[in-house]
């Protein structure tokens, strides 16, 4: 008996590099501009955590830990709706999930329903209730990963 196909369970090295590039390396905790204390590659510092200075290697290890929960969430939700994604498609959803939480479900559902990936990803571009050029660029790049398998930053304008 041939096992049923499954979506990837782990983001690719290209996906990790893409996420790290967008998040940028921050060696010491700082406010992300939205009231969250972050360190490393977008790690939100939790109550009880104490960071002074992270090396890039330590920051990448912390990113891998943070991504693990989102990798599972994306894989589990994909399985629950009966969809198997290619690696690049899975990577795009993990990037979206890491950056915007469970909004990936809406985007995934829309794509399954026939909405174009660029339109679906393009819905998640607000920060503090206002459209953000940085989020727009990231969403379009995630959509490019999803559609074309290209892991490049394009610096689009709207």
């Amino acid at each position: 008996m041939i096992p049923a196909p499954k979506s990837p369970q782990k983001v690719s090295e290209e996906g990790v590099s893409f996420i790290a590039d967008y998040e940028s390396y921050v060696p010491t905790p700082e406010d992300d501009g939205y009231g969250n204390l972050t360190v490393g590659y977008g790690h939100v510092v939790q109550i009880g955590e104490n960071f002074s200075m992270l090396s890039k290697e330590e920051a990448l290890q912390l990113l891998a830990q943070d991504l693990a929960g989102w990798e599972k969430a994306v894989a589990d939700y994909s399985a629950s709706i009966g969809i198997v994604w290619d690696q690049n498609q899975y990577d795009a959803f993990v990037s979206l999930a890491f950056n915007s939480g469970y909004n990936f479900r809406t985007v995934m559902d829309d794509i399954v329903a026939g909405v174009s990936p660029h339109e679906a990803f393009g819905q998640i571009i607000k920060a503090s209730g206002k459209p953000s050029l940085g989020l727009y660029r990231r969403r379009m790049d995630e959509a490019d990963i999803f559609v074309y398998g290209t892991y490049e930053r394009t610096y689009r304008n709207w």
Side-chain angles (χ1 to χ4, degrees), residues 9 22 81 138:
Q9 304 292 303
Y22 255 106
I81 62 172
R138 184 169 181 160

Side-chain angles (χ1 to χ4, degrees), residues 79-140:
S80 77
I81 62 172
I83 300 295
V84 175
W85 304 107
D86 293 335
Q87 183 69 54
N88 57 296
Q89 294 169 327
Y90 174 82
D91 288 353
F93 284 127
V94 172
S95 177
L96 173 65
F98 180 73
N99 184 246
S100 70
Y102 287 96
N103 288 317
F104 80 87
R105 291 176 176 175
T106 301
V107 174
M108 195 180 284
D109 290 343
D110 285 351
I111 290 170
V112 169
V115 175
S116 82
H118 285 88
E119 183 179 336
F121 276 89
Q123 298 173 81
I124 314 298
I125 62 167
K126 290 186 179 176
S128 298
K130 297 178 184 174
S132 160
L133 178 58
L135 289 178
Y136 170 78
R137 287 174 172 162
R138 184 169 181 160
R139 297 294 94 87
M140 292 301 100

Side-chain angles (χ1 to χ4, degrees), residues 26 28-39:
V26 178
T28 58
E30 65 179 38
D31 188 300
D32 68 356
Y34 301 102
N36 300 306
L37 195 61
T38 61
V39 68

